[in-house]
Amino acid sequence: MIFAMRASLFITCYNDTLYPETGRAVVALLERLGVQLDFHPKQTCCGQMHANTGFRGEAYSQAKRFVQLYRDTETVVVPSSSCVAMIRDQYPGLFEELGNEKLRNDFAALVPRVFELSEFLIDQLGVDDVGAYFPHRVVYHASCHGVRALHLGERPYRLLAKVRGLSLATLPNVERCCGFGGTFSVKNAEVSSAMMAAKLQDVVSTGAEYCTALDNSCLMHLGGAMHRQYAAMKTIHLAQILAATESCPVEALA
Amino acid sequence: MTQPAPSHVILDPRFAPPFPQGALNVLRNPQLRKNVAHAIDVIQSKRGKLVAEKTDWQELRTAASALRAHVLENLDTYLEEFEARCTAAGGQVHWAADAAQARQIILGLLRQEGAREVIKIKTMTSAEIQLNPFLEAHGIKTYETDLAEIILQLGDEEPSHIVVPALHVNRAQVREIFARRMGLEHLSDDPQALTAAARTYLRQKFLTIPTAISGANFLVAETGAVAVVESEGNGRMCLTLPRAMITLAGIEKVLPRFDDLEVMLQLLARSATGERMNPYTSLWTGITPGDGPQRFHVVLLDNGRSAMLRRPVERQTLKCIRCAACMNACPVYRQTGGHAYGSVYPGPIGAILTPQLMHLHHAQTLPYASSLCGACYEVCPVKINIPQVLLELRAQVTNQERHQVARFLDPMYLGLCVANLLFARAWRFHLAQRLGRIGIRLFTRKDGWIHSLPGIGGKWTQTRDLRGFPGQTFHEWWAARDKEAK
């Protein structure tokens, strides 16, 4: 299970700041699989927060920055499906409106090489058994961008199915939004919280120990509520589950 | 321009509170939320089953989307064709540039008829132009004939959905309204008894009022026909008994050919009510001597629609066939119901349609009334990319803010401006991370979590904790590891 492949990690701004353990898990996981990882020290943000709040010019500068940083990179891996959705679905419109020919061409050449983590594992490395061990009951929250923008489909479930010791619970209303929505969670805090309450009811009903996802943003929202409500459940990014092995459990990576 | 708020209860975006405040009013009403969520879940599960049995569903959506886009590209041609055919069949077509003009035209036509009372088929367009309070103010009594609309009219309630406008009202509440307004003290809340009461009430209106108003689900350019689909048959009564009929329709309602109904009707009923076919589909073309209304008028309403047509992204809003699948799928609507949107058009389609009808002078909070989850786009039978239009409108709202002094008082606005400066250079971003890590310690408890934040952060911590910032960012860890390796 050794792949000779180079990839560059785009960690995303909020993972860098708030969830570095997710980044460390991606490094452990991919290096274990033989991927040679780079990290561009000048990376900051994909621009999603600005784009989704209506700050189009600002989103454009960040999008342009991303393309300029990564245009000569072989493969970019991103452990956040909403940021990949931003790059795939919103960059074209921004560059169409505000960019020039050169930027559009660079982007067109780069975008087929940008992958969400589960896409990278399944489609690029062709692996669903990453040799992980995680002896816990887990429920998977399929975030909206993973389901409806990236169409990840069975990919995360295939990865979870091969994790030794893991028992996967079925989440009712799995395709319903958790209510995070970026700045929506603050601009419409009450509605966001009502949506979160509905999602939490479904998540907690599974009796799982961990709720996992491919977006730490949803997990920050759900995990924050679980902590507030003293729920007997924790959140964990899928990368951390996949990185865990018998000799190196999740606690050692945290 | 400030106007006194109308005394009549109506959802008017000019006077409605901002969405977060409107939503809060509803979130505090557990009975209403329960009624809405229950109704939505029933419709959604019916729709899900019927869409699943249709193997060519995606092909139908693609066809309908292309058809509606084609209509919008050639709207002028098809409207003129419709006018010519309708006129040739004995109808009379009137053009209204805005709501005020449409109201005046309809009032004039009703006066011509000498009408003091009018019966109405359910029409969202008449609610859009606030026809009922206008006519009442000019001495013409309006009677809704759609069961849900009767409940709302008698109960002085506001619609909360475009297809099932009284879904926020439960059976016990309906009984109370009917008992009070129809003088039926001993009415039971048995559905059959309620239906019988409505039927008695309606029959008397059908048999005595000779003038009717309808909306239109579709206009057929090729034949000049008007189509109305419904569940109860009360619309059919309005189309059969009266002597005069006035149809109010948005200009986008036109379809090129009669055959196009085949595609649209398959999608509409399944998307709207989760039925294979709606029970009543009525089509009429001009007048037929000795059968049905003998005087027939169509009022074609623009009211901001041509302005939408000119904008390439927002234009797709006009593809809408008002099936309400987007609101049934929307997790925001599921929590808030329709009233929070402060418009007769709620839900995701309302969040893009209403601000545009208001030329973005009102309802600027509606484009933000979405988590951008994309469920609306996924179910839309004519493939309106609602999240894309929401983002376009958000950009326009932000551009309005850029010229307002008040933006300096908006922490979200300022925060995003600062964030933009930080993200432009990695060193600035890294410095901010370090400063933030120190600053946040003030609010971090011993358990390593933040339970309460001041200012806009308090919006987060009112229901959610936030884990304290880790001592090392990822890039710091990477740099340290790199150094070690060397």
Side-chain angles (χ1 to χ4, degrees):
Chain A
M1 223 171 27
I2 297 297
F3 305 89
M5 194 171 200
R6 290 178 69 92
S8 192
L9 175 61
F10 181 68
I11 186 67
T12 77
C13 61
Y14 71 101
N15 277 327
D16 186 30
T17 316
L18 300 170
Y19 298 98
E21 68 271 32
T22 297
R24 294 198 296 271
V26 175
V27 174
L29 169 68
L30 295 184
E31 289 186 345
R32 188 171 81 220
L33 295 173
V35 177
Q36 196 184 336
L37 262 189
D38 298 323
F39 182 80
H40 204 306
K42 288 194 169 167
Q43 62 179 279
T44 56
C45 172
C46 69
Q48 186 186 184
M49 180 171 67
H50 285 92
N52 286 357
T53 317
F55 288 71
R56 188 163 279 180
E58 290 82 350
Y60 166 72
S61 356
Q62 287 148 38
K64 187 168 87 177
R65 206 168 170 277
F66 178 89
V67 172
Q68 287 170 346
L69 276 183
Y70 287 100
R71 82 185 143 206
D72 299 322
T73 308
E74 195 178 296
T75 300
V76 185
V77 182
V78 189
S80 165
S81 53
S82 70
C83 299
V84 178
M86 165 72 193
I87 292 162
R88 282 194 200 145
D89 295 349
Q90 293 209 51
Y91 279 19
L94 292 172
F95 294 153
E96 195 57 49
E97 189 184 328
L98 303 162
N100 58 24
E101 186 79 32
K102 166 102 177 61
L103 190 56
R104 283 194 282 272
N105 290 339
D106 284 348
F107 171 71
L110 170 63
V111 72
R113 293 180 278 127
V114 178
F115 302 101
E116 186 281 322
L117 179 65
S118 68
E119 292 175 335
F120 181 72
L121 292 169
I122 302 257
D123 304 342
Q124 297 308 300
L125 300 184
V127 60
D128 49 16
D129 186 347
V130 298
Y133 172 73
F134 193 73
H136 299 282
R137 186 166 170 78
V138 172
V139 62
Y140 174 70
H141 164 62
S143 58
C144 300
H145 287 99
V147 174
R148 281 178 285 266
L150 304 186
H151 304 286
L152 294 180
E154 288 299 311
R155 289 182 188 84
Y157 298 101
R158 280 175 59 190
L159 292 164
L160 282 162
K162 293 289 166 72
V163 176
R164 277 166 275 285
L166 185 143
S167 106
L168 186 68
T170 307
L171 179 63
N173 303 307
V174 63
E175 295 191 353
R176 189 181 286 158
C177 177
C178 70
F180 172 67
T183 50
F184 174 80
S185 64
V186 172
K187 267 183 179 277
N188 280 285
E190 289 80 9
V191 181
S192 166
S193 298
M195 290 160 73
M196 171 266 282
K199 176 58 75 181
L200 219 52
Q201 203 171 5
D202 288 337
V203 169
V204 170
S205 77
T206 63
E209 296 160 74
Y210 286 93
C211 174
T212 190
L214 286 160
D215 285 79
N216 269 331
S217 47
C218 306
L219 293 181
M220 177 168 73
H221 172 70
L222 293 173
M226 286 174 191
H227 192 264
R228 169 68 53 92
Q229 298 175 16
Y230 303 101
M233 194 186 286
K234 284 180 183 161
T235 53
I236 187 169
H237 193 282
L238 186 59
Q240 289 161 253
I241 291 180
L242 299 180
T245 58
E246 265 154 317
S247 57
C248 182
V250 73
E251 294 77 20
L253 290 159
Chain B
M1 195 170 65
T2 53
Q3 290 172 28
S7 58
H8 193 273
V9 191
I10 191 123
L11 294 165
D12 186 336
R14 291 173 303 164
F15 308 106
F19 181 79
Q21 199 184 317
L24 198 54
N25 296 338
V26 183
L27 292 174
R28 287 178 176 145
N29 185 341
Q31 182 64 60
L32 188 146
R33 289 176 68 192
K34 200 176 160 191
N35 296 350
V36 170
H38 173 72
I40 290 300
D41 290 348
V42 170
I43 302 173
Q44 273 294 78
S45 92
K46 281 168 71 184
R47 177 197 170 273
K49 284 188 197 110
L50 288 186
V51 166
E53 72 175 23
K54 203 83 183 127
T55 50
D56 59 348
W57 184 253
Q58 294 308 333
E59 286 81 1
L60 276 172
R61 284 180 77 215
T62 306
S65 170
L67 176 61
R68 294 294 295 147
H70 168 80
V71 165
L72 298 177
E73 292 284 338
N74 303 280
L75 194 55
D76 50 347
T77 316
Y78 289 126
L79 283 171
E80 280 175 10
E81 190 181 348
F82 172 81
E83 182 184 30
R85 301 285 173 209
C86 179
T87 310
Q92 219 180 319
V93 177
H94 311 259
W95 301 79
D98 56 23
Q101 211 178 347
R103 289 190 296 255
Q104 284 301 337
I105 291 170
I106 293 171
L107 179 65
L109 293 171
L110 289 173
R111 288 203 167 135
Q112 215 171 292
E113 289 292 327
R116 306 289 312 225
E117 295 178 308
V118 62
I119 46 175
K120 289 183 71 202
I121 305 181
K122 177 175 166 1
T123 142
M124 289 313 299
T125 317
S126 91
E128 173 188 328
I129 67 166
Q130 302 184 8
L131 186 63
N132 288 10
F134 174 81
L135 293 180
E136 303 272 346
H138 287 81
I140 297 172
K141 285 193 91 59
T142 59
Y143 294 99
E144 296 291 346
T145 64
D146 175 84
L147 184 56
E149 293 285 353
I150 296 170
I151 295 166
L152 298 178
Q153 192 173 38
L154 295 180
D156 214 13
E157 287 263 352
E158 298 172 73
S160 65
H161 191 280
I162 62 172
V163 171
V164 270
L167 96 166
H168 61 287
V169 184
N170 67 21
R171 198 163 20 128
Q173 292 164 323
V174 174
R175 190 215 78 88
E176 187 279 319
I177 292 168
F178 280 8
R180 178 161 49 86
R181 294 298 303 271
M182 295 175 183
L184 301 168
E185 230 177 280
H186 301 294
L187 186 64
S188 91
D189 69 351
D190 174 51
Q192 280 195 346
L194 295 175
T195 315
R199 184 173 289 133
T200 311
Y201 165 87
L202 274 175
R203 282 293 145 101
Q204 189 258 334
K205 309 295 176 214
F206 287 140
L207 293 172
T208 54
I209 302 175
T211 319
I213 291 174
S214 86
N217 287 98
F218 301 104
L219 307 170
V220 182
E222 180 185 42
T223 63
V226 178
V228 161
V229 302
E230 45 145 354
S231 297
E232 296 159 4
N234 294 330
R236 180 73 58 83
M237 297 291 273
C238 295
L239 286 164
T240 322
L241 293 169
R243 291 198 302 271
M245 164 62 76
I246 302 166
T247 295
L248 172 68
I251 52 171
E252 81 281 15
K253 293 286 184 190
V254 69
L255 293 178
R257 293 169 307 274
F258 188 81
D259 285 352
D260 297 329
L261 287 169
E262 182 213 331
V263 173
M264 304 317 292
L265 291 178
Q266 288 189 72
L267 288 164
L268 182 53
R270 282 184 165 81
S271 298
T273 48
E275 295 168 299
R276 288 192 183 86
M277 190 71 203
N278 46 281
Y280 291 86
T281 301
S282 302
L283 284 140
W284 69 99
T285 310
I287 53 169
T288 307
D291 183 14
Q294 296 300 295
R295 292 176 297 283
F296 172 53
H297 300 270
V298 178
V299 181
L300 294 172
L301 176 73
D302 186 316
N303 203 29
R305 287 163 173 79
S306 332
M308 276 182 239
L309 204 54
R310 282 195 287 273
R311 305 186 64 100
V313 173
E314 294 95 308
R315 163 183 290 192
Q316 54 186 315
T317 312
L318 295 173
K319 283 157 75 181
C320 179
I321 55 171
R322 305 284 189 269
C323 71
C326 61
M327 55 198 79
N328 299 337
C330 179
V332 171
Y333 180 92
R334 190 170 181 275
Q335 296 300 329
T336 66
H339 295 160
Y341 294 79
S343 162
V344 296
Y345 300 114
I349 188 66
I352 61 171
L353 179 59
T354 305
Q356 296 187 71
L357 291 175
M358 293 285 114
H359 301 281
L360 227 60
H361 294 313
H362 302 278
Q364 292 100 328
T365 54
L366 288 186
Y368 293 92
S370 163
S371 62
L372 301 174
C373 83
C376 48
Y377 182 28
E378 190 179 47
V379 296
C380 178
V382 292
K383 291 191 180 175
I384 302 172
N385 189 337
I386 294 179
Q388 187 192 23
V389 182
L390 286 169
L391 288 172
E392 178 64 37
L393 295 173
R394 288 181 186 190
Q396 289 174 33
V397 172
T398 302
N399 284 339
Q400 285 183 347
E401 274 186 301
R402 291 187 205 271
H403 304 289
Q404 292 160 0
V405 183
R407 73 186 186 276
F408 295 116
L409 300 172
D410 178 0
M412 178 71 81
Y413 186 94
L414 293 176
L416 283 160
C417 290
V418 172
N420 181 48
L421 294 175
L422 301 180
F423 291 144
R425 302 275 186 280
W427 69 264
R428 291 183 196 159
F429 176 51
H430 296 163
L431 180 66
Q433 284 176 320
R434 283 201 293 278
L435 293 175
R437 192 157 67 204
I438 296 165
I440 207 78
R441 279 188 206 146
L442 274 173
F443 305 99
T444 312
R445 290 201 193 163
K446 276 187 199 140
D447 64 358
W449 285 75
I450 299 153
H451 295 240
S452 168
L453 282 170
I456 196 168
K459 287 279 184 187
W460 178 274
T461 53
Q462 68 188 17
T463 55
R464 295 151 289 207
D465 292 340
L466 181 67
R467 203 184 64 176
F469 287 26
Q472 192 183 36
T473 62
F474 176 77
H475 78 264
E476 286 167 344
W477 173 82
W478 179 275
R481 189 182 87 131
D482 233 16
K483 220 169 157 186
E484 235 170 73
K486 281 170 191 159

